[in-house]
Amino acid sequence: MFAHVLFLTLAVSSASAAVPKVGTDASWLSSVVSPGSYAHVRDGDVSQISAEEYVNRYRNLLGLPELHTNEDLRESAMNHTKYQNANGLYAGDPHGEDPAKSWFTGSTPSERCTAAGYGSGCGEVQAGGDGDLYSALDGFMMTPFHRLGLISPSATEIGCAQTGGWVTCDIGYNRYEGYSSGDFDASKPIVYPANGQVIGTTFWAYESPVPYPQYDHQVIGPTLMLMLPDSWDPLEVEVSLYDLTAQKSIGAIVGIDTENDSTAGAAFFNPIEPLELDHEYAAHVEDVSGANAFSETWTFKTQKSSNVDFPNANQTITYDAHVDWADPSGAEQLVSAPDPNLSELIDRLSGYIMLAVDQYGEAWYVDPISRHRYYLKDGPTAYEFLRSFGLGITNADLSKIPTENDAIGGGATAERLAGRILLQVEEHGEAWYVNPSDLKRYYLKDGNEAYRVMREQSLGTLLSSIAGIAVGEVE
């Protein structure tokens, strides 16, 4: 695990009049709609993507413009990690450097960025510990003040580096770039976790400045947030959190004073107790200043198999599982609404064997009848599973479907039975798969042949792309 020694030097206000209120009225639950499926930034293999791409996974979930990778910022970040790896933290200023020490390239992040050739303003987040690069980036996103640096809509460029146990990301604000995307609406609130995001269950309350002095170095629930991108003014908000799986409100919530200069137009709040694994939650934040500027309701989910918040890239953590939840309020408006595009996706993939190229080549069969996806672990499993979906067919009808050795596939019978598993009822129950891609039939003689067909006739996909299709079980 990454020992999250996270540092960020910011001015801290001593005001205490604007801590988020905790709501007691549950009428907002009637507006909750489930996203239907959930995604974690760790879905798939992250070990082959860059730190900058990984940060952009978070920004994509939040609907933010992607940051461009800048080599000067990478060099600046690398220089700083080399300094820290050789000398440790500079006394009195965790973002500073001692000019008398090796690898000194500037006393401030701005000086180091300039020394590396970067010509615009820059900021910095850094961490030290014994984890890998990705666990440090997850740590940045869980801590409130570091998160703001990485998700700032004004940021345009980024460069990250790791040397030993030290990780630094330098963030550029190139005034000539402006927003990285022209379709970003800076007036719309940003919420974290994003709607439909999977997160960990805890937050180790340690950051500089310390967000919750009363819980310093203690484990509490994860850091939730609403931010207005185009505002730097303190927010007056009421926050509510509901466990949709257990059907209960969570009233023990601590918040950061929104007049704290470090919050920058954001409201941060944490449940005091860690959340439950594999539960779906609904969050609600509304403006109580009298301006009625916003009222946001969304859902998120906690990961399934572990309360480890910051796994290394080689650790196996199960994040995603669809949750069907009942109406906790009795209001008819509350329904588990699937993604409106899900039905179209299932129609398009019905009968195909999908190969998750980002998840170790996992194979999934999308059954046209149940409209669920089924995991084909290996050849023998595929053989037994696929036979269980079998539809009886006569020899005469089967002969109307071209075999894999025929030059051309197709025909009315093949089109009608595309994607189905057929069993020869007049013989010994031999199984055939009608491939919807070429409308030919493939003989599933045994486990080895089933494995060959599964691999050769599958379509590549990302697991996140089919995550919304419910997982079925074969009795």
Side-chain angles (χ1 to χ4, degrees):
M1 273 331 88
F2 209 94
H4 294 290
V5 184
L6 302 176
F7 299 95
L8 186 64
T9 304
L10 292 168
V12 180
S13 169
S14 60
S16 58
V19 174
K21 301 176 183 177
V22 178
T24 57
D25 178 13
S27 61
W28 61 272
L29 282 168
S30 63
S31 64
V32 176
V33 176
S34 171
S37 63
Y38 292 84
H40 194 287
V41 291
R42 289 291 185 104
D43 286 345
D45 181 12
V46 301
S47 63
Q48 300 304 310
I49 68 173
S50 68
E52 296 83 6
E53 290 173 308
Y54 192 66
V55 170
N56 279 328
R57 283 193 175 190
Y58 276 106
R59 290 179 66 95
N60 286 333
L61 281 175
L62 298 174
L64 288 162
E66 290 193 352
L67 300 177
H68 303 303
T69 300
N70 183 281
E71 294 301 327
D72 292 335
L73 292 175
R74 274 185 168 178
E75 180 181 345
S76 174
M78 178 60 74
N79 289 339
H80 191 48
T81 61
K82 288 179 177 178
Y83 171 90
Q84 291 185 312
N85 191 57
N87 307 300
L89 290 174
Y90 181 55
D93 180 3
H95 286 278
E97 292 186 4
D98 185 343
K101 298 291 182 66
S102 61
W103 288 105
F104 171 83
T105 52
S107 299
T108 65
S110 179
E111 289 181 4
R112 293 191 290 272
C113 290
T114 300
Y118 189 70
S120 298
C122 75
E124 181 179 272
V125 293
Q126 63 185 33
D130 58 2
D132 69 13
L133 179 62
Y134 308 96
S135 66
L137 297 173
D138 288 335
F140 290 148
M141 291 300 299
M142 184 56 74
T143 50
F145 307 136
H146 287 70
R147 178 190 298 168
L148 287 178
L150 290 175
I151 70 171
S152 169
S154 300
T156 55
E157 297 172 304
I158 188 171
C160 300
Q162 179 178 22
T163 302
W166 297 95
V167 173
T168 293
C169 288
D170 283 345
I171 305 155
Y173 303 86
N174 188 335
R175 64 184 183 275
Y176 299 110
E177 287 277 348
Y179 288 131
S180 301
S181 172
D183 58 3
F184 175 68
D185 183 359
S187 66
K188 181 177 173 56
I190 297 169
V191 297
Y192 188 94
N195 189 41
Q197 184 176 351
V198 180
I199 63 168
T201 61
T202 62
F203 166 53
W204 187 45
Y206 182 39
E207 185 180 19
S208 178
V210 178
Y212 299 113
Q214 67 273 46
Y215 296 103
D216 190 20
H217 285 74
Q218 296 183 38
V219 174
I220 60 176
T223 306
L224 313 180
M225 179 199 77
L226 178 141
M227 180 181 75
L228 296 182
D230 59 357
S231 174
W232 288 83
D233 297 327
L235 305 182
E236 292 184 45
V237 299
E238 182 175 274
V239 302
S240 303
L241 185 61
Y242 193 90
D243 185 334
L244 290 161
T245 305
Q247 298 191 15
K248 65 178 183 179
S249 291
I250 297 173
I253 294 175
V254 61
I256 299 176
D257 176 9
T258 58
E259 292 189 14
N260 180 326
D261 294 340
S262 302
T263 60
F268 291 99
F269 56 104
N270 295 62
I272 294 176
E273 296 296 326
L275 298 181
E276 299 292 333
L277 288 170
D278 201 22
H279 278 215
E280 189 176 30
Y281 292 86
H284 178 75
V285 181
E286 64 178 286
D287 177 22
V288 293
S289 68
N292 296 318
F294 55 84
S295 178
E296 292 291 318
T297 300
W298 73 101
T299 70
F300 63 93
K301 188 178 175 296
T302 52
Q303 58 203 35
K304 184 176 181 180
S305 70
S306 173
N307 59 8
V308 173
D309 291 307
F310 315 121
N312 290 328
N314 61 357
Q315 290 181 278
T316 300
I317 302 293
T318 303
Y319 297 110
D320 196 10
H322 177 61
V323 177
D324 295 313
W325 41 272
D327 180 351
S329 68
E332 292 182 359
Q333 302 98 302
L334 179 57
V335 294
S336 183
D339 184 335
N341 297 317
L342 182 59
S343 180
E344 179 183 339
L345 174 69
I346 296 175
D347 288 341
R348 190 169 71 251
L349 301 183
S350 178
Y352 283 95
I353 298 172
M354 309 302 298
L355 202 66
V357 297
D358 61 338
Q359 195 64 24
Y360 312 107
E362 288 183 357
W364 296 84
Y365 172 64
V366 182
D367 177 35
I369 304 304
S370 69
R371 297 175 68 79
H372 289 179
R373 59 186 170 102
Y374 294 82
Y375 180 39
L376 307 180
K377 179 181 179 181
D378 48 34
T381 301
Y383 180 68
E384 295 300 328
F385 270 26
L386 293 176
R387 283 183 59 85
S388 70
F389 296 108
L391 171 69
I393 191 170
T394 65
N395 290 346
D397 284 339
L398 183 66
S399 67
K400 298 175 184 178
I401 303 174
T403 71
E404 63 176 300
N405 296 320
D406 291 325
I408 300 176
T413 303
E415 290 179 2
R416 177 169 57 87
L417 298 175
R420 299 296 303 274
I421 309 299
L422 307 177
L423 302 178
Q424 283 184 267
V425 295
E426 295 176 341
E427 299 295 333
H428 303 288
E430 290 89 342
W432 299 82
Y433 169 59
V434 183
N435 185 0
S437 292
D438 59 11
L439 295 179
K440 297 181 182 182
R441 56 186 165 104
Y442 292 78
Y443 181 32
L444 306 177
K445 178 181 178 181
D446 51 29
N448 290 334
E449 277 300 289
Y451 183 82
R452 179 186 69 84
V453 171
M454 180 177 73
R455 291 290 161 179
E456 293 181 2
Q457 305 306 319
S458 60
L459 296 180
T461 187
L462 299 177
L463 188 61
S464 58
S465 298
I466 60 173
I469 304 176
V471 177
E473 295 184 3
V474 176
E475 300 293 335

